[in-house]
Amino acid sequence: MPRQRALTALGRFGEGEDVAGMVAYPAGEGGRCVTGAAPAVDGGHAA
């Protein structure tokens, strides 16, 4: 797993809190103008 972890842009695996923030964003005030988006919560792997 250290090799896989090193391949991520952040150098670590995501935690539940990382995903929770992205899930809560569209439901909150900041996401009221976001439509049809498919955000990636992958630690920068797809970047």
Side-chain angles (χ1 to χ4, degrees):
M1 288 240 202
R3 183 169 185 258
Q4 290 173 319
R5 192 174 301 133
L7 294 174
T8 67
L10 297 176
R12 65 177 182 86
F13 292 128
E15 301 289 332
E17 294 83 19
D18 300 321
V19 177
M22 194 61 234
V23 170
Y25 174 75
E29 191 66 24
R32 67 184 186 170
C33 289
V34 177
T35 60
V41 183
D42 65 0
H45 184 73

